[in-house]
Amino acid sequence: MKKIVIIGGGIAGLSAGIFAQKNGFESIIVEKHHTLGGECTGWDRQGYHIDGCIHWFVGTKEGTPIHDLWTTVGALDGVEIYHPESFMAVEHDGVTVNFYRDLDRLKSSWLGISPEDKEEIEEFCSDIKRLHSFSVPAGKPLDLMNPIEKIKYIFSMKDVGPIMQKYGKISVTELAKKFKHPALREAIASFMPEGDYGAISVLFPLGTFTSGQSSIPKGGSKALAKRMVERYLSLGGTVEASCEVVEADIKGGTVKGIKCTNGKRFEADYFIAACDAKVLYEKLLKGRYPDLEFEKRYNNPDTYPLASNIYIGIGYEGEMNDVPRTLKFPVETVDINQNQKPIEHLQMTHYGYEPNFAPEGHTVITFAINQFEPELDAWEALIKDKEAYAKEKMRIGEAVIDAMETRFPNKKGKLKLLDVATPQTYVRYCNAYRGAFMGFWPTISGKSLNHTGRIKGLDNMLLSGQWLQPPGGLPVAVITGKDTIMRICKKEKQQFVTS
């Protein structure tokens, strides 16, 4: 029986481990943290549970390939799905713009706000609807398809292809400017920060949401990852937690073993790096096996931006039944920067649909504030002064509570700060380069990366995870974990087993 060592116990690593076991390999997952799941996680503070990952989850629609994959790895076994009525609500100058799940309701509500935008609204909704026939492909990766399979794949993209071309050539800002009403412009523009970000970043999430392909698994991110861990262990997999890999032992183009900070060493026939790509190439491989495609992206952050976030958890002594699950509201005096400018909105998500996340009658609330290159530099410098770093976290948390009390005066005195995570939190716990929670963000000038995970010069190590395909995230992680085992099976000349 061939042995596979998997470096990293996030969603990609767990997916790889599950399919390794299903296909007759002996596998072990070696994980830095004491808890598996990577960035698909959550944590408890003061009697509340802060969900640190899932804002919407692609793969909740039965009968789609990605749903079947999530079911196979145990992520959705016996799980109730919560279907919020809106993806997000955005407030602007007394007007609330809702991105409803029901596309007809979305169109009707927008026409009620701005009849003069009828043509633009109808075109926008029609293009979203064209994406309803698209399902995230979760079968063979392109490099393993035969010619007939490639033709079928291309044909399956016939509806989404024109939409990708249309919206891949304009920015989110340009899309927003097509609308006359300032509230509609603001709502669309708020999807991404000002810059070169492609408008397809607006269309795809709304396409999966309004088609029912993305919703929220009850129980949250940590519980989802735990179900995958249980599935992996039930198949005979092994876990070595609290064990950070620091070096690969390489001889003659073959990885012989890996070394960990605690002195442990693991040997195998194959090694899967289901970890951060930067960590793999620079730390584990010591820069000896560079990848030009990744280097180009790391060296051009304007064209291939990375993002992390400040994540604030707040406990509220009350319920939020009359507030949309995710609400973006304007702020005027919050001293928190994004792309070197003070933020103009705060995005709030409440978990009123998760009664076990808070004491009875209470609600846990999170705020996510994206951070880009300038701010990531600042956080890297600030953490060197632990006292200053802690003070800045507290200042930000208090500023967000002040802003929330300004927007919701009836909640004054009923809010308490639970925790503040920063980009450096993701670095500390997940070894995420610059704290990135996704892959490279899609821009108009950037070229989409579709990487096989193969490492030039090494014959038995592959990269897996969200860095291989844009935009990253959980679907890419679970798919590439599977794909990596498919590639190993092909090399071993054995049939890949799905279930």
Side-chain angles (χ1 to χ4, degrees):
M1 182 183 293
K2 294 289 180 75
K3 183 174 182 179
I4 300 175
V5 168
I6 301 164
I7 305 166
I11 298 304
L14 287 167
S15 175
I18 288 166
F19 284 103
Q21 293 301 125
K22 284 178 173 289
N23 282 275
F25 296 99
E26 176 189 354
S27 71
I28 180 170
I29 294 175
V30 184
E31 165 59 35
K32 169 186 176 177
H33 198 35
H34 57 71
T35 302
L36 274 66
E39 294 187 24
C40 185
T41 190
W43 54 96
D44 298 330
R45 293 291 185 274
Q46 301 180 53
Y48 295 82
H49 180 76
I50 301 170
D51 192 299
C53 182
I54 296 173
H55 297 291
W56 73 92
F57 183 87
V58 178
T60 54
K61 185 175 183 179
E62 294 185 12
T64 58
I66 187 66
H67 179 273
D68 293 345
L69 178 56
W70 282 121
T71 302
T72 299
V73 299
L76 296 181
D77 278 1
V79 179
E80 181 183 352
I81 304 298
Y82 169 65
H83 302 284
E85 69 172 7
S86 74
F87 182 86
M88 177 173 64
V90 180
E91 296 179 343
H92 178 79
D93 200 19
V95 176
T96 300
V97 179
N98 286 283
F99 291 88
Y100 288 117
R101 180 182 296 277
D102 184 328
L103 201 50
D104 290 335
R105 185 182 179 190
L106 186 156
K107 180 166 68 173
S108 176
S109 69
W110 285 28
L111 288 171
I113 293 170
S114 180
E116 64 270 25
D117 278 312
K118 182 176 185 294
E119 184 177 342
E120 289 76 13
I121 292 169
E122 290 184 343
E123 179 184 6
F124 183 68
C125 292
S126 175
D127 287 342
I128 292 172
K129 193 169 185 177
R130 289 179 67 184
L131 294 176
H132 286 188
S133 63
F134 172 75
S135 296
V136 176
K140 282 185 181 180
L142 274 170
D143 60 294
L144 297 184
M145 290 182 185
N146 61 41
I148 294 176
E149 289 168 333
K150 287 182 179 179
I151 291 171
K152 288 182 178 179
Y153 172 76
I154 293 170
F155 184 75
S156 73
M157 302 289 285
K158 61 181 175 62
D159 291 326
V160 70
I163 299 297
M164 290 181 67
Q165 288 186 344
K166 178 178 179 179
Y167 289 92
K169 293 177 181 178
I170 63 172
S171 69
V172 174
T173 303
E174 289 169 328
L175 174 62
K177 287 181 178 178
K178 289 186 174 185
F179 295 83
K180 300 177 181 66
H181 198 286
L184 296 185
R185 287 202 303 267
E186 187 63 41
I188 292 172
S190 71
F191 264 73
M192 302 289 276
E194 186 177 347
D196 191 33
Y197 301 99
I200 198 68
S201 303
V202 177
L203 267 288
F204 259 111
L206 293 178
T208 62
F209 184 74
T210 58
S211 66
Q213 294 190 56
S214 58
S215 290
I216 315 293
K218 284 285 199 77
S221 306
K222 189 173 183 178
L224 183 143
K226 184 179 179 181
R227 289 190 293 273
M228 289 183 66
V229 173
E230 291 169 352
R231 175 61 54 88
Y232 174 64
L233 294 174
S234 73
L235 292 168
T238 305
V239 170
E240 187 77 30
S242 301
C243 188
E244 183 177 4
V245 179
V246 290
E247 187 177 354
D249 180 14
I250 302 169
K251 293 178 182 176
T254 300
V255 180
K256 298 296 184 179
I258 54 170
K259 302 173 184 177
C260 304
T261 52
N262 59 8
K264 290 187 178 182
R265 174 186 167 88
F266 298 91
E267 297 181 351
D269 299 286
Y270 290 98
F271 295 83
I272 297 173
C275 58
D276 184 273
K278 191 79 168 179
V279 169
L280 168 66
Y281 288 111
E282 292 196 359
K283 186 176 180 180
L284 305 188
L285 301 181
K286 310 301 182 187
R288 296 195 296 263
Y289 300 86
D291 185 286
L292 295 181
E293 288 299 320
F294 278 108
E295 288 300 308
K296 178 174 71 174
R297 286 160 175 78
Y298 289 131
N299 293 332
N300 294 278
D302 291 337
T303 305
Y304 301 101
L306 295 174
S308 186
N309 65 27
I310 307 170
Y311 203 66
I312 302 103
I314 293 172
Y316 168 54
E317 297 175 11
E319 298 180 345
M320 304 276 287
N321 298 328
D322 57 340
V323 179
R325 175 183 179 268
T326 298
L327 176 68
K328 187 170 286 189
F329 58 88
V331 294
E332 294 182 356
T333 58
V334 178
D335 184 18
I336 303 171
N337 281 355
Q338 184 183 84
N339 275 336
Q340 297 181 301
K341 296 179 181 178
I343 59 171
E344 297 179 351
H345 296 84
L346 279 173
Q347 181 172 308
M348 174 187 77
T349 298
H350 76 78
Y351 296 80
Y353 58 92
E354 292 280 12
N356 295 329
F357 279 19
E360 187 175 357
H362 293 212
T363 307
V364 66
I365 301 165
T366 62
F367 286 82
I369 304 170
N370 287 336
Q371 300 281 271
F372 297 90
E373 193 76 12
E375 289 75 40
L376 300 182
D377 291 338
W379 284 109
E380 285 181 3
L382 186 62
I383 199 169
K384 295 173 184 176
D385 185 334
K386 300 298 184 183
E387 184 177 349
Y389 176 74
K391 285 183 178 178
E392 179 64 3
K393 287 172 57 174
M394 182 63 68
R395 184 193 70 80
I396 287 172
E398 291 173 348
V400 168
I401 286 180
D402 287 345
M404 188 173 174
E405 289 180 341
T406 299
R407 168 60 185 82
F408 299 97
N410 62 325
K411 294 174 175 48
K412 189 175 180 65
K414 299 178 181 180
L415 303 170
K416 67 176 177 178
L417 182 63
L418 303 176
D419 199 13
V420 178
T422 78
Q424 288 299 305
T425 307
Y426 295 87
V427 174
R428 176 185 175 189
Y429 289 103
C430 303
N431 270 348
Y433 175 60
R434 311 224 72 188
F437 59 85
M438 298 278 281
F440 301 102
W441 283 36
T443 61
I444 297 172
S445 55
K447 184 179 179 181
S448 181
L449 176 67
N450 192 353
H451 202 291
T452 65
R454 295 184 177 93
I455 302 168
K456 189 175 181 180
L458 296 178
D459 59 16
N460 68 333
M461 176 177 263
L462 296 98
L463 174 64
S464 191
Q466 68 167 353
W467 291 98
L468 297 184
Q469 298 172 18
L474 298 182
V476 174
V478 73
I479 289 169
T480 57
K482 169 192 66 67
D483 290 351
T484 303
I485 300 301
M486 293 183 82
R487 293 183 178 108
I488 292 175
C489 283
K490 182 179 181 181
K491 187 170 182 177
E492 288 293 310
K493 295 181 172 58
Q494 70 179 63
Q495 185 71 32
F496 175 77
V497 176
T498 304
S499 58

